[in-house]
Amino acid sequence: MARFLMRSVISTLVTMLIVSALVFTLLEVSGRDVTVQILGVFATPEQKESLRKQLGLDQPGFVRYIDWLVGNDWRLRDELGNVQTVFNEISQEPEWYVLLDDGRFVRHEVCSRVEDIDSGFCQPGEMLYLVRNEDASFFRENAGDVWTTDPETGESVFWGVDIGNRAAKWVEGGGDTAFVSTQTGVQELTGAAVQWIPLRKGLLRGDAGVSLKTTRPVSKTLPIRIRNSAILAGLAFIVVMPLALFLGILTGINEGSFFDRFTSVTSLALTATPEFVTGVLLILVVGIYWSNNWLPGLVEAGFLPDWALESFKVPTTTLADSPNAIFEKPKELILPVLTLTAVELGYIVRMTRASMVEVMAAPYIRTAIIKGMPFRRVVFRHAVRNALLAPITIIMLHINYLVGGLVVVEVIFGFQGLGKFIFDHSIFGDPNAVEAAAMVTVLIAIVTRLLGDLAYTFLNPRIRYA
Amino acid sequence: MTTTVQPESAASRQPSRLAKIWNNVSIIFDSPVAMVGLAIVLFWFGMAILSLFWTPHDPNEQYFRDQRRSAYIMTYLPWIDLEDYDEVTRPKPEFLLGTDKTGRDLLSRVMAGGQVVLLKTRIPLPTDDVRRQDEISALSRLLDRFVPEEWDEVVVPGGVAIWGVIGSLVVGTTFGLLAGYKGGWTEQIVMQIMDALVAFPRIVLYIVVIASLGQGDLVIIIAITVTGAPGIARLSRSLALDIKTRDYIRAAETRGEGLLYIMFREILPNARGPLLVDAMLRVGYAIFTIGTLGFLGLGLQPPEPDWGSMVNDGRELIFSQPNIVIWPAIAISTLVIGLNLFADGVREELSRYQK
C-alpha cells in the first residue's frame, strides 16, 4: 500500500510537470499579444514594447518557465542583495523588498517627482530609497552613490526593486522612456529602468504569480472561484447521486420493462445533449413559466443569467459579477445545478443499470432467489453491494469530465467559478492564472482517480495493491 | 471499396471479399437500436449533402440586413420593419423556420450546418484581405507554400469531426501499439505522457489550444486529435498486450519483420473491431465538442453555419424567437444521439456475435 501511494505521488508530480510545461509552451507559441489585451487595440508599438519589457516578456521562454516554477529571487541575489517578501497587512498581499545590512526594508526609485526636485531634496536621476515603515507606508531617502560600473558596457548601472515588485536595472544619467498603464490611461515616464524582471518565489515555493488580467495575485482570486465551483458541483452531486443510483438500480431490476426502456432512452438523450443545449433550453422553459406568471414566488431577477434577462427587456441585476454573489442570491445556483444534474444523471444511470443487470444475471443471485430469500433482501443485501463497485470507480473518473462541463455551464450562467476563470484567463492569454488553474484541475483529476482506485480496493476485497 | 469480384474465387466457392465485408456489415441489420441510430445519422448526412447542391435560400445571405440593398425585401416583404427583431425573425411562408437576427434563413443554415462537421474542412490561406488575418493560423501559413498562388482557401473532403477522429486514431494507435508491444521504458514514458493528457480536462485543453493557435477548422482537428489520442492509445495498448502473446506475432518476429510491420500489419488488423466501435463513439463526442466550442465563440470560422455558433448567436433572442436556438440544438443532440445509438447497437451485436 505504501509503495502504491509513493508511486502515485511521484506519478502525480511528473504529470503536473508535463502539463505545466505543455500549457506554457502552448501559450508561448500562441503569438497572442497579451499587451494588446491590456493596453487595447489603439496602443502604439512603443507602448506595447515598453509594457512587454515591464512584464519581463523580453526574456526567453524557458527562463520564464523556470522563474514560474522555482522563482528567481535566488538567481537575482547577486545583483539585488538580500531580497525578501514582506506581507502587507493592508492589501493582504506580499511585497518584495531588499533587506539592507542595517535591518531596513527598502525599495528603489529614481528621483523624478517635481516636488522633490523643486525642494532640493534630490537631483533628477539620483537613486532614492523607499524605506518601509512598520505600517507598510514608506518614506523617501537619498540612497547616495549606489551605482556600479557594468564591466561589459562601461555604463554605470544599478539593480534594485521597484514599486511594482520587479527587479529593475537603472542606468545612471540615462534611462529609457517607459509607458505606464494607469487608471487614467497610459502615462509616459522618463528616467525609467532599462530592464525589468518581475520577482517571484515560484510555484514550488507557494507563489502562483500575479494575474495579468486582474493584476492581483492568483492565489487571492483562484481559491474563491474554486470554492464557488465546489459548491456548484457539490450541490449537483448531492442531487444526482441518490437519484441516479436509485433509477439505475430500479431499471436494472426491471430490465426490459416499459419503465426501463423509457428511462434508458431518456438517459441516453440527456447524455448525448451538450451542456450548452441543456442549459439554454432550461432557461427557455423557466423563462416561459415566468413570462406567464405561473411560478410567481420562485422566479425573479437573479434566477436567470443577464443575457437572458436582456432579451426579456427586464432590468438586469449587477450582482452576477461579484465572486460572492451566490451567497447573496442563492437562487442563482438553481439553474446551473439543474443543468449539471441533467447532464450527469443520464451517464450514471446508464452505468449503474448496466452493472446491476450484469450482477442480477449472476449465479449467486439465482441461488439466493431459489432458496427462497425475499426479493427485496436479495437486491439490497446481495446485488446492490456488488453492482455499485463499477459505477463508483467510473463516477470518480467522471469528476474529471465534470470539470469540462463546469466551464460551459459557468459561461452560460455567468457563474463566477473555476470554469469561467479558466475560460476568461485563457482567452486573455494570462499564463500565471491559466497555469495555476490547470494545476488545480490536474490535481482534481488525479486525486479523484486515486480515490476511485482506493474505493474500489476497499469495496472489493479481491483486489490488493502491492 | 474498389475491390472487384474475381471469377475464380467464385468458382472455388470461396466467398468474395465484397461478400465477406457485406457479411460483417450486415450484423447491424440484426440490431434495431443500431438501425435507428443509422437512420438518424444518415438523415443528417443526407441533409448536409443535399445542402451542398440545394438549400431553400442562400445560408449566408442576410436577407433583412438593409432595405436599400436587399431586392428580396422590396419584392416580397415591403411592409417589414427592420428595426423590430421579432418581426424580422418570425417564421414566414418564404422562411419556414424564420431567420436569425441578421436575416439569414434558419432552415438553410440548419441544413448546411452539417457540412463543416461531416463533409468538408476548410483551410483558409493567407490573403491580402486584412479582415481575414485573424482567422489565419500558423498552420495555414505553412500550407500556403505548397499550393498555387491564387487560391485563398483549400477545401478538403471529410468533416472536421471525421478528420479529428482519424487524427486521434492515427496518433493513438501509433503510441498505444508501440507501448503495448515494446513494453518496458517505452511503455512507461508513452503512458505517462498520455496520462498527463487525460488528466488535463478536455475543455481546458481545447481552450488553451485554440486560444494559442487561433481559430479555424484545422486547429479544431488538432484539438480533437490531441484530446482523443490518449483514450485510443490506452485501448490499443491493452489490445496489443493481449495480441502480442499470439503465435503469429512470434512467427513474424522469427521471420525478422520490423517493428512497424508487426505493429501495423500484424497487431492492428486484429484489433480493429473494438477500435472502430470506439471511433464511432468518438465522432459523436467530436460533434459534441465542436458544438460546445462554437457556443463558447471558439468554433469554426464564420460566416458558414455551424450549429454551436448558431445557438450562441441566437441565445439573446431566446424568449422572443426560440426557433433560432431550438433547431440547431435539436440538430446537434439528435446527431450525437444517433451516433451513440449506432455505436451501442454495433457493440452489443458484436459482443453477441463473439459469444
Side-chain angles (χ1 to χ4, degrees):
Chain A
M1 194 66 192
R3 228 183 111 194
F4 167 72
L5 282 178
M6 195 65 197
R7 213 170 51 198
S8 310
V9 170
I10 292 172
S11 157
T12 307
L13 293 178
V14 173
T15 307
M16 288 173 81
L17 198 68
I18 295 175
V19 170
S20 69
L22 192 72
V23 172
F24 202 88
T25 320
L26 275 173
L27 290 170
E28 193 63 19
V29 298
S30 68
R32 171 169 291 229
D33 194 356
V34 74
T35 57
V36 178
Q37 302 274 357
I38 298 171
L39 294 172
V41 283
F42 297 113
T44 61
E46 293 82 30
Q47 290 171 349
K48 285 192 271 188
E49 188 50 42
S50 172
L51 183 62
R52 279 185 74 76
K53 282 170 79 177
Q54 289 175 51
L55 296 173
L57 294 177
D58 52 341
Q59 288 182 289
F62 70 91
V63 174
R64 274 179 289 134
Y65 179 70
I66 299 292
D67 286 357
W68 172 81
L69 196 63
V70 293
N72 54 11
D73 52 335
W74 51 271
R75 179 163 68 84
L76 295 166
R77 205 145 270 181
D78 285 348
E79 284 96 0
L80 293 174
N82 189 3
V83 59
Q84 285 185 5
T85 52
V86 182
F87 192 74
N88 184 338
E89 296 290 342
I90 297 163
S91 67
Q92 293 288 312
E93 285 165 18
E95 290 172 343
W96 286 95
Y97 285 92
V98 175
L99 178 59
L100 293 182
D101 294 336
D102 53 9
R104 295 184 304 170
F105 288 102
V106 296
R107 297 205 256 191
H108 306 93
E109 190 183 80
V110 166
C111 177
S112 60
R113 298 198 315 166
V114 180
E115 60 263 41
D116 289 343
I117 298 167
D118 287 351
S119 68
F121 175 69
C122 63
Q123 298 296 317
E126 273 184 337
M127 214 63 226
L128 298 182
Y129 282 148
L130 306 177
V131 186
R132 187 181 192 275
N133 295 323
E134 280 305 309
D135 59 349
S137 63
F138 59 82
F139 62 89
R140 287 184 169 74
E141 193 187 285
N142 206 318
D145 185 28
V146 289
W147 305 96
T148 52
T149 310
D150 188 332
E152 284 172 28
T153 56
E155 288 172 321
S156 115
V157 297
F158 176 70
W159 275 94
V161 178
D162 80 349
I163 202 151
N165 293 321
R166 294 169 298 209
K169 180 184 172 188
W170 283 278
V171 175
E172 187 179 22
D176 284 8
T177 308
F179 296 90
V180 183
S181 179
T182 61
Q183 297 284 332
T184 49
V186 180
Q187 274 184 1
E188 205 174 321
L189 202 77
T190 50
V194 293
Q195 192 188 350
W196 284 272
I197 301 170
L199 282 166
R200 51 196 318 171
K201 280 187 153 173
L203 189 78
L204 291 180
R205 286 151 72 203
D207 174 19
V210 175
S211 157
L212 298 183
K213 185 165 192 268
T214 59
T215 64
R216 295 199 56 210
V218 177
S219 53
K220 290 280 164 212
T221 50
L222 189 58
I224 303 173
R225 301 300 199 90
I226 297 172
R227 179 203 64 193
N228 287 356
S229 283
I231 291 173
L232 177 59
L235 281 176
F237 204 68
I238 291 170
V239 176
V240 168
M241 286 306 291
L243 194 62
L245 292 182
F246 177 71
L247 282 176
I249 291 170
L250 215 56
T251 48
I253 299 170
N254 303 315
E255 195 198 356
S257 66
F258 171 75
F259 174 70
D260 173 34
R261 287 279 149 78
F262 178 76
T263 316
S264 300
V265 171
T266 315
S267 8
L268 178 64
L270 284 177
T271 321
T273 309
E275 293 94 352
F276 70 93
V277 172
T278 318
V280 167
L281 292 185
L282 265 175
I283 289 171
L284 182 62
V285 172
V286 169
I288 288 168
Y289 270 79
W290 187 19
S291 58
N292 289 321
N293 231 347
W294 290 337
L295 295 172
L298 179 69
V299 183
E300 58 183 47
F303 193 79
L304 294 172
D306 279 359
W307 57 263
L309 290 171
E310 268 162 34
S311 100
F312 239 145
K313 302 177 179 80
V314 170
T316 55
T317 53
T318 47
L319 268 178
D321 277 348
S322 146
N324 287 322
I326 51 167
F327 296 113
E328 290 151 34
K329 271 196 182 299
K331 275 180 187 170
E332 274 193 357
L333 277 164
I334 298 178
L335 283 185
V337 167
L338 274 181
T339 311
L340 277 181
T341 307
V343 173
E344 296 303 305
L345 186 70
Y347 186 79
I348 302 177
V349 168
R350 270 156 65 90
M351 287 302 149
T352 318
R353 178 188 172 275
S355 173
M356 194 69 195
V357 166
E358 201 183 314
V359 169
M360 285 305 280
Y364 68 89
I365 296 292
R366 205 185 317 146
T367 314
I369 294 175
I370 291 170
K371 79 176 185 190
M373 191 184 268
F375 188 65
R376 186 179 294 265
R377 205 179 147 89
V378 175
V379 171
F380 286 105
R381 278 287 169 81
H382 295 236
V384 169
R385 256 192 85 172
N386 286 301
L388 290 189
L389 272 179
I392 282 177
T393 324
I394 290 167
I395 289 162
M396 289 317 262
L397 284 178
H398 204 63
I399 290 178
N400 184 21
Y401 183 85
L402 184 75
V403 175
L406 270 179
V407 177
V408 182
V409 172
E410 287 175 5
V411 169
I412 297 176
F413 292 98
F415 187 87
Q416 297 291 312
L418 177 63
K420 196 162 172 358
F421 183 90
I422 295 170
F423 180 74
D424 290 343
H425 288 268
S426 306
I427 300 290
F428 195 88
D430 185 348
N432 291 344
V434 177
E435 284 277 11
M439 290 301 99
V440 172
T441 53
V442 169
L443 209 57
I444 293 173
I446 297 175
V447 168
T448 50
R449 191 171 65 192
L450 282 180
L451 283 179
D453 284 354
L454 288 179
Y456 199 76
T457 328
F458 283 116
L459 289 172
N460 187 350
R462 280 170 294 189
I463 294 178
R464 285 275 172 269
Y465 287 100
Chain B
M1 278 290 141
T2 53
T3 326
T4 49
V5 182
Q6 304 286 322
E8 62 269 20
S9 68
S12 60
R13 289 166 199 255
Q14 285 280 317
S16 70
R17 212 167 151 195
L18 208 62
K20 267 192 205 157
I21 291 169
W22 181 248
N23 264 340
N24 283 333
V25 170
S26 64
I27 62 162
I28 63 167
F29 297 119
D30 297 338
S31 162
V33 176
M35 286 307 288
V36 171
L38 187 64
I40 298 173
V41 174
L42 284 182
F43 171 77
W44 285 114
F45 257 104
M47 277 293 173
I49 293 170
L50 175 66
S51 71
L52 286 176
F53 305 102
W54 178 85
T55 46
H57 296 275
D58 181 349
N60 296 329
E61 173 75 42
Q62 303 180 341
Y63 286 96
F64 300 99
R65 187 180 48 185
D66 189 347
Q67 207 145 11
R68 279 158 303 178
R69 274 196 235 158
S70 171
Y72 188 90
I73 304 176
M74 298 306 281
T75 324
Y76 296 102
L77 305 160
W79 64 85
I80 208 158
D81 175 11
L82 289 184
E83 296 299 310
D84 185 356
Y85 278 144
D86 291 3
E87 184 78 17
V88 167
T89 53
R90 186 174 300 147
K92 313 168 186 64
E94 297 87 358
F95 301 98
L96 282 177
L97 301 182
T99 57
D100 70 5
K101 68 182 166 190
T102 51
R104 294 177 291 195
D105 179 37
L106 211 59
L107 178 59
S108 311
R109 283 179 78 72
V110 171
M111 282 173 71
Q115 282 180 17
V116 255
V117 175
L118 297 171
L119 291 184
K120 63 173 192 188
T121 299
R122 301 151 301 158
I123 306 164
L125 300 174
T127 53
D128 298 333
D129 190 352
V130 183
R131 282 168 303 166
R132 289 190 48 190
Q133 287 306 311
D134 285 350
E135 296 170 11
I136 309 286
S137 60
L139 299 147
S140 43
R141 287 205 189 90
L142 187 75
L143 194 73
D144 191 41
R145 295 183 192 167
F146 304 104
V147 298
E149 190 75 18
E150 61 274 12
W151 291 8
D152 58 351
E153 188 176 77
V154 178
V155 176
V156 183
V160 173
I162 313 275
W163 279 113
V165 172
I166 292 175
S168 42
L169 268 179
V170 171
V171 177
T173 49
T174 308
F175 283 109
L177 294 181
L178 184 71
Y181 177 65
K182 288 282 279 189
W185 275 106
T186 320
E187 185 179 9
Q188 289 287 324
I189 293 168
V190 169
M191 291 331 276
Q192 181 70 59
I193 294 171
M194 291 293 156
D195 274 354
L197 284 178
V198 171
F200 205 165
R202 256 156 215 263
I203 198 92
V204 179
L205 191 56
Y206 288 135
I207 294 173
V208 174
V209 167
I210 290 161
S212 48
L213 294 183
Q215 251 170 300
D217 297 4
L218 214 53
V219 175
I220 295 194
I221 290 177
I222 290 176
I224 294 173
T225 302
V226 171
T227 45
I232 292 181
R234 191 152 277 280
L235 179 65
S236 45
R237 168 178 161 266
S238 64
L239 291 167
L241 281 177
D242 176 31
I243 292 171
K244 81 170 180 188
T245 59
R246 307 285 167 84
D247 288 342
Y248 52 80
I249 303 295
R250 212 39 37 79
E253 280 166 359
T254 319
R255 284 204 308 274
E257 301 287 4
L259 175 70
L260 288 178
Y261 183 92
I262 293 176
M263 270 166 59
F264 290 105
R265 293 304 299 271
E266 301 284 348
I267 301 180
L268 187 59
N270 292 295
R272 66 167 187 252
L275 283 176
L276 280 180
V277 174
D278 190 60
M280 260 182 290
L281 273 176
R282 271 172 204 286
V283 175
Y285 292 147
I287 293 169
F288 199 108
T289 306
I290 295 168
T292 305
L293 289 174
F295 179 79
L296 294 175
L298 298 168
L300 306 163
Q301 295 139 11
E304 276 178 72
D306 150 44
W307 293 324
S309 320
M310 286 167 74
V311 174
N312 191 26
D313 291 343
R315 65 177 177 160
E316 285 160 19
L317 295 177
I318 183 168
F319 292 116
S320 46
Q321 198 40 264
N323 270 335
I324 306 175
V325 169
I326 287 179
W327 289 107
I330 288 179
I332 293 186
S333 311
T334 49
L335 182 53
V336 178
I337 290 172
L339 279 162
N340 269 307
L341 285 175
F342 184 59
D344 274 6
V346 170
R347 186 164 44 189
E348 215 164 85
E349 246 359 91
L350 276 178
S351 61
R352 187 174 305 167
Y353 203 58
Q354 280 160 2
K355 277 177 195 168

